[in-house]
mmCIF file of all heavy atoms in Angstrom:
data_model
loop_
_atom_site.group_PDB
_atom_site.id
_atom_site.type_symbol
_atom_site.label_atom_id
_atom_site.label_comp_id
_atom_site.label_asym_id
_atom_site.label_seq_id
_atom_site.Cartn_x
_atom_site.Cartn_y
_atom_site.Cartn_z
ATOM 1 N N PHE A 205 -12.419 28.894 22.980
ATOM 2 C CA PHE A 205 -12.031 29.341 24.328
ATOM 3 C C PHE A 205 -10.580 29.833 24.333
ATOM 4 O O PHE A 205 -10.252 30.882 24.891
ATOM 5 C CB PHE A 205 -12.151 28.188 25.343
ATOM 6 C CG PHE A 205 -13.551 27.687 25.587
ATOM 7 C CD1 PHE A 205 -13.759 26.467 26.223
ATOM 8 C CD2 PHE A 205 -14.663 28.423 25.186
ATOM 9 C CE1 PHE A 205 -15.048 25.992 26.455
ATOM 10 C CE2 PHE A 205 -15.957 27.950 25.416
ATOM 11 C CZ PHE A 205 -16.141 26.729 26.046
ATOM 12 N N ILE A 206 -9.708 29.046 23.710
ATOM 13 C CA ILE A 206 -8.272 29.383 23.753
ATOM 14 C C ILE A 206 -8.024 30.734 23.061
ATOM 15 O O ILE A 206 -7.321 31.601 23.590
ATOM 16 C CB ILE A 206 -7.424 28.262 23.090
ATOM 17 C CG1 ILE A 206 -7.568 26.964 23.895
ATOM 18 C CG2 ILE A 206 -5.953 28.669 23.000
ATOM 19 C CD1 ILE A 206 -7.011 25.730 23.212
ATOM 20 N N ILE A 207 -8.645 30.918 21.898
ATOM 21 C CA ILE A 207 -8.410 32.157 21.142
ATOM 22 C C ILE A 207 -8.872 33.369 21.939
ATOM 23 O O ILE A 207 -8.161 34.368 22.055
ATOM 24 C CB ILE A 207 -9.113 32.085 19.760
ATOM 25 C CG1 ILE A 207 -8.382 31.080 18.880
ATOM 26 C CG2 ILE A 207 -9.155 33.457 19.084
ATOM 27 C CD1 ILE A 207 -9.111 30.706 17.616
ATOM 28 N N LYS A 208 -10.068 33.269 22.507
ATOM 29 C CA LYS A 208 -10.588 34.409 23.285
ATOM 30 C C LYS A 208 -9.653 34.707 24.456
ATOM 31 O O LYS A 208 -9.319 35.870 24.709
ATOM 32 C CB LYS A 208 -11.993 34.104 23.808
ATOM 33 C CG LYS A 208 -13.068 34.171 22.733
ATOM 34 C CD LYS A 208 -13.439 35.601 22.421
ATOM 35 C CE LYS A 208 -14.636 35.661 21.485
ATOM 36 N NZ LYS A 208 -14.947 36.998 21.029
ATOM 37 N N LEU A 209 -9.231 33.660 25.166
ATOM 38 C CA LEU A 209 -8.368 33.904 26.330
ATOM 39 C C LEU A 209 -7.006 34.453 25.906
ATOM 40 O O LEU A 209 -6.439 35.315 26.584
ATOM 41 C CB LEU A 209 -8.213 32.634 27.178
ATOM 42 C CG LEU A 209 -9.472 32.202 27.951
ATOM 43 C CD1 LEU A 209 -9.184 30.980 28.813
ATOM 44 C CD2 LEU A 209 -10.024 33.331 28.825
ATOM 45 N N LEU A 210 -6.497 33.980 24.761
ATOM 46 C CA LEU A 210 -5.218 34.524 24.273
ATOM 47 C C LEU A 210 -5.339 36.006 23.963
ATOM 48 O O LEU A 210 -4.388 36.768 24.088
ATOM 49 C CB LEU A 210 -4.766 33.778 23.004
ATOM 50 C CG LEU A 210 -4.159 32.385 23.191
ATOM 51 C CD1 LEU A 210 -3.945 31.703 21.841
ATOM 52 C CD2 LEU A 210 -2.837 32.465 23.958
ATOM 53 N N ASN A 266 -12.117 25.125 32.299
ATOM 54 C CA ASN A 266 -11.232 25.295 33.454
ATOM 55 C C ASN A 266 -9.825 24.756 33.191
ATOM 56 O O ASN A 266 -8.844 25.330 33.671
ATOM 57 C CB ASN A 266 -11.854 24.663 34.703
ATOM 58 C CG ASN A 266 -13.002 25.523 35.214
ATOM 59 O OD1 ASN A 266 -12.972 26.754 35.103
ATOM 60 N ND2 ASN A 266 -14.046 24.892 35.735
ATOM 61 N N VAL A 267 -9.714 23.677 32.391
ATOM 62 C CA VAL A 267 -8.377 23.176 32.019
ATOM 63 C C VAL A 267 -7.652 24.258 31.211
ATOM 64 O O VAL A 267 -6.483 24.597 31.471
ATOM 65 C CB VAL A 267 -8.475 21.870 31.186
ATOM 66 C CG1 VAL A 267 -7.117 21.492 30.606
ATOM 67 C CG2 VAL A 267 -9.023 20.728 32.024
ATOM 68 N N ILE A 268 -8.351 24.837 30.249
ATOM 69 C CA ILE A 268 -7.733 25.856 29.382
ATOM 70 C C ILE A 268 -7.343 27.087 30.201
ATOM 71 O O ILE A 268 -6.248 27.636 30.054
ATOM 72 C CB ILE A 268 -8.704 26.220 28.231
ATOM 73 C CG1 ILE A 268 -8.857 25.020 27.296
ATOM 74 C CG2 ILE A 268 -8.219 27.456 27.473
ATOM 75 C CD1 ILE A 268 -9.938 25.152 26.251
ATOM 76 N N LYS A 269 -8.246 27.477 31.084
ATOM 77 C CA LYS A 269 -7.993 28.649 31.935
ATOM 78 C C LYS A 269 -6.725 28.425 32.770
ATOM 79 O O LYS A 269 -5.864 29.298 32.881
ATOM 80 C CB LYS A 269 -9.219 28.819 32.847
ATOM 81 C CG LYS A 269 -9.329 30.150 33.524
ATOM 82 C CD LYS A 269 -10.681 30.210 34.232
ATOM 83 C CE LYS A 269 -10.607 31.182 35.392
ATOM 84 N NZ LYS A 269 -11.801 31.205 36.205
ATOM 85 N N LYS A 270 -6.603 27.200 33.303
ATOM 86 C CA LYS A 270 -5.419 26.864 34.111
ATOM 87 C C LYS A 270 -4.152 26.869 33.244
ATOM 88 O O LYS A 270 -3.146 27.475 33.608
ATOM 89 C CB LYS A 270 -5.624 25.475 34.748
ATOM 90 C CG LYS A 270 -4.549 25.107 35.756
ATOM 91 C CD LYS A 270 -4.753 23.705 36.308
ATOM 92 C CE LYS A 270 -4.058 22.686 35.452
ATOM 93 N NZ LYS A 270 -4.243 21.300 35.803
ATOM 94 N N LEU A 271 -4.220 26.235 32.072
ATOM 95 C CA LEU A 271 -3.030 26.153 31.221
ATOM 96 C C LEU A 271 -2.573 27.531 30.761
ATOM 97 O O LEU A 271 -1.383 27.772 30.560
ATOM 98 C CB LEU A 271 -3.294 25.249 30.000
ATOM 99 C CG LEU A 271 -3.475 23.757 30.294
ATOM 100 C CD1 LEU A 271 -3.837 22.995 29.028
ATOM 101 C CD2 LEU A 271 -2.213 23.162 30.922
ATOM 102 N N LEU A 272 -3.519 28.439 30.584
ATOM 103 C CA LEU A 272 -3.157 29.795 30.133
ATOM 104 C C LEU A 272 -2.981 30.753 31.324
ATOM 105 O O LEU A 272 -2.794 31.955 31.120
ATOM 106 C CB LEU A 272 -4.224 30.347 29.181
ATOM 107 C CG LEU A 272 -4.214 29.732 27.779
ATOM 108 C CD1 LEU A 272 -5.431 30.172 26.984
ATOM 109 C CD2 LEU A 272 -2.945 30.108 27.027
ATOM 110 N N ALA A 273 -3.065 30.213 32.522
ATOM 111 C CA ALA A 273 -2.945 31.017 33.752
ATOM 112 C C ALA A 273 -3.830 32.265 33.659
ATOM 113 O O ALA A 273 -3.400 33.387 33.948
ATOM 114 C CB ALA A 273 -1.482 31.405 33.989
ATOM 115 N N SER A 274 -5.077 32.050 33.235
ATOM 116 C CA SER A 274 -6.000 33.172 33.047
ATOM 117 C C SER A 274 -6.983 33.250 34.214
ATOM 118 O O SER A 274 -7.278 32.247 34.862
ATOM 119 C CB SER A 274 -6.779 32.959 31.741
ATOM 120 O OG SER A 274 -7.853 33.845 31.654
ATOM 121 N N SER A 275 -7.482 34.457 34.456
ATOM 122 C CA SER A 275 -8.510 34.581 35.497
ATOM 123 C C SER A 275 -9.837 35.043 34.884
ATOM 124 O O SER A 275 -10.764 35.425 35.590
ATOM 125 C CB SER A 275 -8.047 35.585 36.567
ATOM 126 O OG SER A 275 -7.724 36.794 35.931
ATOM 127 N N GLN A 314 -2.994 21.103 25.767
ATOM 128 C CA GLN A 314 -1.724 21.850 25.784
ATOM 129 C C GLN A 314 -1.161 21.978 24.354
ATOM 130 O O GLN A 314 -0.685 23.041 23.947
ATOM 131 C CB GLN A 314 -0.699 21.155 26.691
ATOM 132 C CG GLN A 314 0.644 21.873 26.788
ATOM 133 C CD GLN A 314 0.535 23.231 27.468
ATOM 134 O OE1 GLN A 314 0.198 23.308 28.643
ATOM 135 N NE2 GLN A 314 0.804 24.310 26.722
ATOM 136 N N VAL A 317 -3.143 24.586 22.627
ATOM 137 C CA VAL A 317 -2.755 25.909 23.145
ATOM 138 C C VAL A 317 -1.451 26.349 22.476
ATOM 139 O O VAL A 317 -1.313 27.494 22.014
ATOM 140 C CB VAL A 317 -2.602 25.871 24.686
ATOM 141 C CG1 VAL A 317 -1.866 27.094 25.207
ATOM 142 C CG2 VAL A 317 -3.967 25.749 25.359
ATOM 143 N N ASP A 318 -0.483 25.429 22.391
ATOM 144 C CA ASP A 318 0.811 25.764 21.780
ATOM 145 C C ASP A 318 0.627 26.162 20.317
ATOM 146 O O ASP A 318 1.201 27.146 19.856
ATOM 147 C CB ASP A 318 1.776 24.558 21.863
ATOM 148 C CG ASP A 318 2.175 24.246 23.302
ATOM 149 O OD1 ASP A 318 1.934 25.100 24.190
ATOM 150 O OD2 ASP A 318 2.694 23.138 23.539
ATOM 151 N N SER A 321 -1.163 29.577 20.128
ATOM 152 C CA SER A 321 -0.280 30.658 20.595
ATOM 153 C C SER A 321 0.677 31.042 19.470
ATOM 154 O O SER A 321 0.945 32.225 19.222
ATOM 155 C CB SER A 321 0.525 30.223 21.816
ATOM 156 O OG SER A 321 -0.345 29.797 22.831
#
Side-chain angles (χ1 to χ4, degrees):
F205 294 165
I206 296 169
I207 289 168
K208 285 282 187 187
L209 290 183
L210 283 172
N266 286 327
V267 170
I268 292 171
K269 196 173 155 186
K270 188 183 89 184
L271 292 176
L272 286 171
S274 168
S275 55
Q314 181 66 64
V317 165
D318 293 346
S321 304

